[in-house]
PDB file of all heavy atoms in Angstrom:
ATOM      1  N   GLU A  28       4.934  31.496 -24.619  1.00 40.00           N
ATOM      2  CA  GLU A  28       5.782  31.915 -25.730  1.00 40.00           C
ATOM      3  C   GLU A  28       5.002  32.013 -27.030  1.00 40.00           C
ATOM      4  O   GLU A  28       5.339  32.768 -27.920  1.00 40.00           O
ATOM      5  CB  GLU A  28       6.949  30.923 -25.904  1.00 40.00           C
ATOM      6  CG  GLU A  28       8.005  31.071 -24.841  1.00 40.00           C
ATOM      7  CD  GLU A  28       8.605  32.457 -24.853  1.00 40.00           C
ATOM      8  OE1 GLU A  28       8.889  32.992 -25.940  1.00 40.00           O
ATOM      9  OE2 GLU A  28       8.765  33.020 -23.776  1.00 40.00           O
ATOM     10  N   GLU A  49      17.487  45.454 -23.438  1.00 51.00           N
ATOM     11  CA  GLU A  49      16.423  44.889 -22.628  1.00 51.00           C
ATOM     12  C   GLU A  49      16.946  43.642 -21.925  1.00 51.00           C
ATOM     13  O   GLU A  49      17.433  42.699 -22.541  1.00 51.00           O
ATOM     14  CB  GLU A  49      15.235  44.508 -23.523  1.00 51.00           C
ATOM     15  CG  GLU A  49      14.155  43.761 -22.782  1.00 51.00           C
ATOM     16  CD  GLU A  49      13.206  43.068 -23.733  1.00 51.00           C
ATOM     17  OE1 GLU A  49      13.335  43.298 -24.943  1.00 51.00           O
ATOM     18  OE2 GLU A  49      12.367  42.315 -23.268  1.00 51.00           O
ATOM     19  N   TYR A  64      16.091  24.552 -27.586  1.00 91.00           N
ATOM     20  CA  TYR A  64      15.842  25.992 -27.615  1.00 91.00           C
ATOM     21  C   TYR A  64      16.090  26.604 -28.985  1.00 91.00           C
ATOM     22  O   TYR A  64      15.231  27.308 -29.531  1.00 91.00           O
ATOM     23  CB  TYR A  64      16.718  26.688 -26.561  1.00 91.00           C
ATOM     24  CG  TYR A  64      16.567  28.192 -26.532  1.00 91.00           C
ATOM     25  CD1 TYR A  64      15.473  28.784 -25.933  1.00 91.00           C
ATOM     26  CD2 TYR A  64      17.525  29.019 -27.110  1.00 91.00           C
ATOM     27  CE1 TYR A  64      15.322  30.153 -25.901  1.00 91.00           C
ATOM     28  CE2 TYR A  64      17.393  30.395 -27.084  1.00 91.00           C
ATOM     29  CZ  TYR A  64      16.288  30.955 -26.476  1.00 91.00           C
ATOM     30  OH  TYR A  64      16.145  32.313 -26.454  1.00 91.00           O
ATOM     31  N   VAL A  68      13.323  28.317 -31.556  1.00 92.00           N
ATOM     32  CA  VAL A  68      13.409  29.707 -32.020  1.00 92.00           C
ATOM     33  C   VAL A  68      13.384  29.761 -33.541  1.00 92.00           C
ATOM     34  O   VAL A  68      12.634  30.534 -34.150  1.00 92.00           O
ATOM     35  CB  VAL A  68      14.686  30.381 -31.480  1.00 92.00           C
ATOM     36  CG1 VAL A  68      14.921  31.717 -32.180  1.00 92.00           C
ATOM     37  CG2 VAL A  68      14.588  30.599 -29.976  1.00 92.00           C
ATOM     38  N   GLY A  71      10.139  29.251 -35.111  1.00 86.00           N
ATOM     39  CA  GLY A  71       9.127  30.242 -34.808  1.00 86.00           C
ATOM     40  C   GLY A  71       8.209  29.875 -33.665  1.00 86.00           C
ATOM     41  O   GLY A  71       7.249  30.598 -33.372  1.00 86.00           O
ATOM     42  N   ILE A  73       9.166  29.680 -30.545  1.00 89.00           N
ATOM     43  CA  ILE A  73       9.556  30.618 -29.488  1.00 89.00           C
ATOM     44  C   ILE A  73       9.820  31.953 -30.164  1.00 89.00           C
ATOM     45  O   ILE A  73      10.632  32.040 -31.095  1.00 89.00           O
ATOM     46  CB  ILE A  73      10.805  30.151 -28.721  1.00 89.00           C
ATOM     47  CG1 ILE A  73      10.501  28.919 -27.891  1.00 89.00           C
ATOM     48  CG2 ILE A  73      11.326  31.263 -27.815  1.00 89.00           C
ATOM     49  CD1 ILE A  73      11.692  28.386 -27.107  1.00 89.00           C
ATOM     50  N   ASP A  74       9.133  32.997 -29.737  1.00 89.00           N
ATOM     51  CA  ASP A  74       9.324  34.339 -30.282  1.00 89.00           C
ATOM     52  C   ASP A  74      10.546  34.959 -29.634  1.00 89.00           C
ATOM     53  O   ASP A  74      10.515  35.356 -28.474  1.00 89.00           O
ATOM     54  CB  ASP A  74       8.076  35.186 -30.021  1.00 89.00           C
ATOM     55  CG  ASP A  74       8.236  36.629 -30.488  1.00 89.00           C
ATOM     56  OD1 ASP A  74       9.251  36.913 -31.171  1.00 89.00           O
ATOM     57  OD2 ASP A  74       7.368  37.456 -30.176  1.00 89.00           O
ATOM     58  N   GLY A  75      11.634  35.036 -30.384  1.00 89.00           N
ATOM     59  CA  GLY A  75      12.880  35.553 -29.841  1.00 89.00           C
ATOM     60  C   GLY A  75      12.844  37.014 -29.482  1.00 89.00           C
ATOM     61  O   GLY A  75      13.733  37.510 -28.785  1.00 89.00           O
ATOM     62  N   THR A  76      11.824  37.754 -29.940  1.00 87.00           N
ATOM     63  CA  THR A  76      11.717  39.179 -29.619  1.00 87.00           C
ATOM     64  C   THR A  76      10.924  39.419 -28.344  1.00 87.00           C
ATOM     65  O   THR A  76      10.881  40.542 -27.844  1.00 87.00           O
ATOM     66  CB  THR A  76      11.035  39.952 -30.760  1.00 87.00           C
ATOM     67  OG1 THR A  76       9.669  39.542 -30.876  1.00 87.00           O
ATOM     68  CG2 THR A  76      11.742  39.691 -32.083  1.00 87.00           C
ATOM     69  N   ALA A  77      10.275  38.390 -27.804  1.00 87.00           N
ATOM     70  CA  ALA A  77       9.430  38.566 -26.624  1.00 87.00           C
ATOM     71  C   ALA A  77      10.279  38.818 -25.379  1.00 87.00           C
ATOM     72  O   ALA A  77      11.421  38.346 -25.270  1.00 87.00           O
ATOM     73  CB  ALA A  77       8.558  37.333 -26.411  1.00 87.00           C
ATOM     74  N   ALA A  78       9.726  39.573 -24.437  1.00 83.00           N
ATOM     75  CA  ALA A  78      10.431  39.851 -23.184  1.00 83.00           C
ATOM     76  C   ALA A  78      10.739  38.539 -22.470  1.00 83.00           C
ATOM     77  O   ALA A  78       9.879  37.677 -22.305  1.00 83.00           O
ATOM     78  CB  ALA A  78       9.574  40.745 -22.299  1.00 83.00           C
ATOM     79  N   GLY A  79      11.984  38.370 -22.064  1.00 89.00           N
ATOM     80  CA  GLY A  79      12.384  37.168 -21.346  1.00 89.00           C
ATOM     81  C   GLY A  79      12.792  36.010 -22.224  1.00 89.00           C
ATOM     82  O   GLY A  79      13.272  34.995 -21.710  1.00 89.00           O
ATOM     83  N   ALA A  80      12.631  36.137 -23.541  1.00 92.00           N
ATOM     84  CA  ALA A  80      12.957  35.018 -24.432  1.00 92.00           C
ATOM     85  C   ALA A  80      14.438  34.666 -24.376  1.00 92.00           C
ATOM     86  O   ALA A  80      14.812  33.499 -24.488  1.00 92.00           O
ATOM     87  CB  ALA A  80      12.557  35.353 -25.865  1.00 92.00           C
ATOM     88  N   ALA A  81      15.293  35.667 -24.177  1.00 94.00           N
ATOM     89  CA  ALA A  81      16.731  35.411 -24.167  1.00 94.00           C
ATOM     90  C   ALA A  81      17.152  34.541 -22.992  1.00 94.00           C
ATOM     91  O   ALA A  81      18.138  33.808 -23.072  1.00 94.00           O
ATOM     92  CB  ALA A  81      17.498  36.730 -24.130  1.00 94.00           C
ATOM     93  N   GLN A 111      19.723  35.349 -35.820  1.00 95.00           N
ATOM     94  CA  GLN A 111      19.115  35.844 -34.589  1.00 95.00           C
ATOM     95  C   GLN A 111      20.189  36.625 -33.818  1.00 95.00           C
ATOM     96  O   GLN A 111      20.567  36.277 -32.703  1.00 95.00           O
ATOM     97  CB  GLN A 111      18.581  34.671 -33.748  1.00 95.00           C
ATOM     98  CG  GLN A 111      17.507  33.850 -34.428  1.00 95.00           C
ATOM     99  CD  GLN A 111      16.148  34.521 -34.374  1.00 95.00           C
ATOM    100  OE1 GLN A 111      15.956  35.511 -33.662  1.00 95.00           O
ATOM    101  NE2 GLN A 111      15.188  33.988 -35.110  1.00 95.00           N
ATOM    102  N   LEU A 113      20.415  39.702 -32.391  1.00 95.00           N
ATOM    103  CA  LEU A 113      20.107  40.345 -31.113  1.00 95.00           C
ATOM    104  C   LEU A 113      19.759  39.331 -30.039  1.00 95.00           C
ATOM    105  O   LEU A 113      20.127  39.507 -28.877  1.00 95.00           O
ATOM    106  CB  LEU A 113      18.961  41.340 -31.299  1.00 95.00           C
ATOM    107  CG  LEU A 113      19.333  42.628 -32.018  1.00 95.00           C
ATOM    108  CD1 LEU A 113      18.098  43.464 -32.304  1.00 95.00           C
ATOM    109  CD2 LEU A 113      20.330  43.442 -31.211  1.00 95.00           C
ATOM    110  N   LEU A 114      19.066  38.268 -30.410  1.00 95.00           N
ATOM    111  CA  LEU A 114      18.758  37.236 -29.424  1.00 95.00           C
ATOM    112  C   LEU A 114      20.040  36.555 -28.951  1.00 95.00           C
ATOM    113  O   LEU A 114      20.196  36.269 -27.756  1.00 95.00           O
ATOM    114  CB  LEU A 114      17.800  36.216 -30.026  1.00 95.00           C
ATOM    115  CG  LEU A 114      17.354  35.085 -29.092  1.00 95.00           C
ATOM    116  CD1 LEU A 114      16.673  35.645 -27.851  1.00 95.00           C
ATOM    117  CD2 LEU A 114      16.438  34.114 -29.820  1.00 95.00           C
ATOM    118  N   ARG A 117      21.628  39.012 -26.523  1.00 95.00           N
ATOM    119  CA  ARG A 117      20.923  39.099 -25.238  1.00 95.00           C
ATOM    120  C   ARG A 117      21.091  37.821 -24.420  1.00 95.00           C
ATOM    121  O   ARG A 117      21.218  37.866 -23.197  1.00 95.00           O
ATOM    122  CB  ARG A 117      19.444  39.391 -25.493  1.00 95.00           C
ATOM    123  CG  ARG A 117      19.189  40.809 -26.010  1.00 95.00           C
ATOM    124  CD  ARG A 117      17.776  40.966 -26.538  1.00 95.00           C
ATOM    125  NE  ARG A 117      17.527  42.344 -26.964  1.00 95.00           N
ATOM    126  CZ  ARG A 117      16.572  42.703 -27.812  1.00 95.00           C
ATOM    127  NH1 ARG A 117      15.767  41.776 -28.331  1.00 95.00           N
ATOM    128  NH2 ARG A 117      16.406  43.961 -28.148  1.00 95.00           N
ATOM    129  N   ILE A 274      15.289  42.150 -35.957  1.00 94.00           N
ATOM    130  CA  ILE A 274      14.175  42.826 -35.314  1.00 94.00           C
ATOM    131  C   ILE A 274      14.647  43.380 -33.981  1.00 94.00           C
ATOM    132  O   ILE A 274      15.176  42.643 -33.140  1.00 94.00           O
ATOM    133  CB  ILE A 274      12.996  41.864 -35.124  1.00 94.00           C
ATOM    134  CG1 ILE A 274      12.445  41.463 -36.496  1.00 94.00           C
ATOM    135  CG2 ILE A 274      11.894  42.496 -34.287  1.00 94.00           C
ATOM    136  CD1 ILE A 274      11.361  40.417 -36.455  1.00 94.00           C
ATOM    137  N   VAL A 399       5.879  39.138 -36.283  1.00 89.00           N
ATOM    138  CA  VAL A 399       5.728  39.507 -34.871  1.00 89.00           C
ATOM    139  C   VAL A 399       5.584  41.010 -34.688  1.00 89.00           C
ATOM    140  O   VAL A 399       5.243  41.475 -33.593  1.00 89.00           O
ATOM    141  CB  VAL A 399       6.930  39.014 -34.037  1.00 89.00           C
ATOM    142  CG1 VAL A 399       7.087  37.510 -34.163  1.00 89.00           C
ATOM    143  CG2 VAL A 399       8.227  39.719 -34.451  1.00 89.00           C
TER     144      VAL A 399
END
Side-chain angles (χ1 to χ4, degrees):
E28 286 300 317
E49 173 196 353
Y64 178 78
V68 169
I73 291 180
D74 176 9
T76 67
Q111 299 281 349
L113 286 173
L114 182 58
R117 290 167 177 159
I274 294 175
V399 302

